[in-house]
Amino acid sequence: MYILGIESSCDETAASVIKEENGALTVLSDSVATQIKTHALYGGVVPEIASREHIKAVSYVVSDAVKQADIQLSDLDVIGVTYGPGLIGSLLVGVSYAKSLAASLGKPLVNVNHIKAHAAASYIENKVDFPCIAMIVSGGHTSIYQAQSPVEYIEVGSTRDDAAGEAFDKVARVMGLCYPGGKEMDKLAAEGYKLIKNGSREFIHLPTPSINDETLDYSFSGLKTATVNYIHNYRQKQNIPDKDLIPEEESAIIAASFTKVITEGICVKLSEAIKRYGAKTIVLAGGVAANSHLRAAISSTCDNMGVQFVVPSLKFCGDNGAMVAAQTYFEYINGVRADSFLNAYATGNISV
Ligand code: KG4
Ligand code: ZN
């Protein structure tokens, strides 16, 4: 069967066609219109502008995905769309478009949760045995789930304030880097680790995001504030105006120190989750799953604990249509159907 997935929850308008044959999923197309350049002017996503950009892009992106897949719209068997969580105006664009398309083609429509879709990106390329533990780390979420199947998730831990990606972006911005700064922080951290390894510098002491209690919860706001304060102090001492970049060596040490506490903190609760739930497989997904240091740290934690580690390839970590199409398939075979009353939801947990 052919499945179309439409994603518009934040600042990427994306669509993808996946072919399913005997349960195996093949991505036939993956079309993305990113708004990053537009929002970079403001240092973050401006919701009103995001909605308007989705309206401009959605028809083209969907046509492009169908064309790249070398099929006709009438060949589609099911259409899926992200209906939450995310920016409400942005979500409504994708939902309205998908409803109209499904109605005009007479095809079934499936509502997809964005967080479950991130996890589904891992199931496209890997065979995952359930139950497993899914760790979703993105710009809007940092949560641990116990997944019974690709459609049944129970949240067992979460951030109590900011998401990890949000903290990466904020620190990058205060350092003078462009939005979104996660990818640049990744590269800088690698430089910082080299300097620390060869003994020329040391890590800056920063607080862990792993909350020191029996829960599997995180808190990134203390770490974010401590890092931002460090940068402001450094700027004052060195007389560097806020709008200027700080020297690369200092940025590298800050990025490495910040990344170290994030990766270690995430691994602390993840190891606890593995023990508590007897997990045999860990799935890592979401935009921050692209972070090379986080991938390496979780991979070695899983190796040490004899657990299988599954993570999507880089192109499926950030928001994309293929993850929505994959989750559409799982929901569809479980009987999920949306009708013309489908609405979008800005917040809500995994079972939205
Ligand atoms: O999943 P995503 O595309 O959107 C949300 O659902 O939030 O995640 C975007 C987040 C941004 O905060 C971005 O800076 C972060 O993922 N990100 C990274 C990396 N690549 C993207 N963070 C750290 N290291 C990276 N390599
Ligand atoms: Zn996302």
Side-chain angles (χ1 to χ4, degrees):
M1 65 191 282
Y2 292 106
I3 307 135
L4 171 69
I6 302 174
E7 159 64 36
S8 72
S9 67
C10 190
D11 57 353
E12 328 274 3
T13 322
S16 161
V17 175
I18 280 189
K19 184 178 183 182
E20 178 275 335
E21 224 167 2
N22 302 321
L25 303 178
T26 309
V27 179
L28 300 184
S29 63
D30 184 24
S31 184
V32 184
T34 180
Q35 307 175 4
I36 282 179
K37 278 193 184 146
T38 309
H39 299 295
L41 298 171
Y42 306 92
V45 178
V46 183
E48 167 81 17
I49 296 176
S51 314
R52 290 173 185 275
E53 292 294 311
H54 285 303
I55 276 286
K56 284 198 271 180
V58 68
S59 304
Y60 171 76
V61 166
V62 170
S63 313
D64 188 49
V66 172
K67 193 170 151 207
Q68 298 294 329
D70 206 14
I71 60 163
Q72 306 296 316
L73 276 173
S74 53
D75 295 326
L76 290 170
D77 293 286
V78 53
I79 295 163
V81 63
T82 302
Y83 78 125
L87 300 172
I88 194 69
S90 293
L91 288 163
L92 284 168
V93 173
V95 166
S96 307
Y97 189 89
K99 281 206 279 192
S100 314
L101 189 64
S104 62
L105 295 171
K107 305 285 178 181
L109 177 68
V110 169
N111 48 314
V112 167
N113 179 302
H114 183 75
I115 303 171
K116 282 162 129 180
H118 267 303
S122 305
Y123 315 145
I124 299 172
E125 301 162 302
N126 305 281
K127 190 187 166 318
V128 173
D129 292 325
F130 292 88
C132 69
I133 292 287
M135 170 98 227
I136 309 298
V137 196
S138 72
H141 296 88
T142 303
S143 302
I144 305 177
Y145 299 93
Q146 202 196 9
Q148 303 295 341
S149 77
V151 294
E152 291 165 274
Y153 288 75
I154 301 161
E155 189 183 275
V156 294
S158 182
T159 177
R160 293 188 188 166
D161 39 58
D162 302 327
E166 203 179 338
F168 266 110
D169 293 343
K170 173 73 184 182
V171 168
R173 187 172 156 184
V174 177
M175 291 205 304
L177 305 173
C178 269
Y179 171 85
K183 200 170 168 188
E184 193 61 22
M185 290 282 283
D186 194 342
K187 283 194 220 141
L188 279 169
E191 294 305 313
Y193 282 132
K194 275 189 220 154
L195 292 168
I196 292 160
K197 204 171 168 195
N198 74 23
S200 54
R201 293 289 305 259
E202 283 180 3
F203 284 111
I204 300 157
H205 181 75
L206 293 169
T208 175
S210 158
I211 295 176
N212 188 16
D213 65 9
E214 74 293 348
T215 69
L216 298 176
D217 290 347
Y218 299 102
S219 164
F220 290 89
S221 75
L223 165 62
K224 187 181 79 178
T225 307
T227 316
V228 167
N229 286 346
Y230 177 92
I231 300 167
H232 285 322
N233 280 335
Y234 179 84
R235 284 187 182 281
Q236 263 173 359
K237 279 190 206 140
Q238 305 294 323
N239 226 348
I240 303 171
D242 282 354
K243 59 177 181 14
D244 290 358
L245 276 173
I246 53 178
E248 185 159 337
E249 179 176 320
E250 197 59 31
S251 299
I253 297 301
I254 295 166
S257 308
F258 180 77
T259 303
K260 177 177 179 277
V261 288
I262 289 204
T263 52
E264 287 178 356
I266 285 180
C267 287
V268 166
K269 295 291 182 178
L270 205 49
S271 309
E272 180 54 33
I274 293 171
K275 281 187 236 150
R276 204 173 283 184
Y277 297 100
K280 303 256 183 306
T281 302
I282 291 293
V283 169
L284 172 70
V288 184
N291 187 277
S292 59
H293 313 285
L294 184 62
R295 290 165 89 96
I298 298 183
S299 172
S300 91
T301 300
C302 289
D303 277 354
N304 292 339
M305 297 180 82
V307 170
Q308 184 200 11
F309 175 50
V310 175
V311 63
S313 54
L314 293 182
K315 65 176 183 220
F316 295 138
C317 286
D319 292 346
N320 64 85
M323 68 185 202
V324 179
Q327 189 59 25
T328 299
Y329 167 69
F330 296 121
E331 301 286 355
Y332 180 76
I333 59 171
N334 273 279
V336 172
R337 300 288 183 275
D339 60 22
S340 61
F341 293 100
L342 177 64
N343 210 333
Y345 297 89
T347 55
N349 64 22
I350 200 91
S351 55
V352 162

